[in-house]
Amino acid sequence: MARVGGRNAAFAWVVGLGCLAILGVLAALAVPMIPASVAWFGGAVENAQGTAPTSAPVAAAGDDEPTALPTECPELYDEALWATMRFSRGAVLTPSKDAPVTTATALVTALSPQVQLTCFWHADEGTVSTTLATVPPDAGAIAAAALPASGFGCETGGERTRCTRTDGDLTETIEAGGGLWLSTSEDAWHPAGYVSRTGDRIWG
């Protein structure tokens, strides 16, 4: 039989060996996936037959619903407020466990808040300082009785009492209830909804 022109036996052998080498590499890469594939297939069969083990679903907390008392400053803010604070011109956050920034020093002395965290912000617009602390359960009633003499206006809603004082560019807010204290001092910088939104992170 006449030989077909243009074929090269040596080249064909090289190509064949190359293909075998590629197949070997692919097989080696596929081997580690076999157990996972078998497990997945088994799980799919169990689900189809209704024999797969079940467990109660775990509800995921939303961005605006912290599951525990904040231990770091970012946890004190919802996503939008955190972005507002973080990206304000010249904003610098200094976290600490410093005592509350407030003119109500007599109340602080009387209640002795056990500070969990203080978030102090400095920006081109001014400063904002917020302190989260634990206090006696009757702190809200004590604040409502003591602070009006210092120029604060107080109101009670739900489980907490909020007292606010404004003097020029300075606005102070003290909230207490359920054994928790949240105070904020805004000096010239007044982010929209700051007090209510941080309060909602604590008391929901």
Side-chain angles (χ1 to χ4, degrees):
M1 181 179 290
R3 202 174 192 184
V4 179
R7 290 196 174 180
N8 187 311
F11 178 76
W13 273 103
V14 171
V15 172
L17 291 174
C19 290
L20 288 175
I22 292 172
L23 290 174
V25 171
L26 292 175
L29 292 174
V31 167
M33 295 300 296
I34 292 175
S37 299
V38 171
W40 175 85
F41 181 78
V45 171
E46 289 179 345
N47 284 331
Q49 295 176 345
T51 59
T54 59
S55 60
V58 178
D63 288 340
D64 297 340
E65 299 176 359
T67 58
L69 201 63
T71 57
E72 298 181 356
C73 287
E75 299 171 5
L76 188 60
Y77 305 92
D78 61 53
E79 187 174 325
L81 182 56
W82 172 252
T84 295
M85 303 300 293
R86 181 68 182 83
F87 297 109
S88 292
R89 184 183 296 274
V92 176
L93 170 62
T94 304
S96 70
K97 288 195 174 183
D98 291 347
V101 176
T102 178
T103 60
T105 54
L107 181 66
V108 172
T109 300
L111 296 178
S112 298
Q114 300 301 301
V115 176
Q116 304 300 301
L117 62 87
T118 291
C119 307
F120 182 83
W121 293 89
H122 180 277
D124 290 356
E125 288 188 60
T127 62
V128 176
S129 179
T130 297
T131 296
L132 173 64
T134 58
V135 288
D138 59 350
I142 294 173
L147 289 179
S150 300
F152 285 81
C154 299
E155 59 182 5
T156 299
E159 64 177 322
R160 73 189 195 260
T161 297
R162 176 185 293 175
C163 300
T164 304
R165 171 181 176 271
T166 298
D167 182 9
D169 285 338
L170 175 65
T171 298
E172 299 178 82
T173 303
I174 295 174
E175 294 184 83
L180 298 175
W181 160 294
L182 188 68
S183 62
T184 294
S185 175
E186 301 174 330
D187 191 354
W189 184 15
H190 306 284
Y194 183 96
V195 169
S196 60
R197 291 162 75 178
T198 52
D200 286 345
R201 296 289 283 180
I202 303 304
W203 285 280

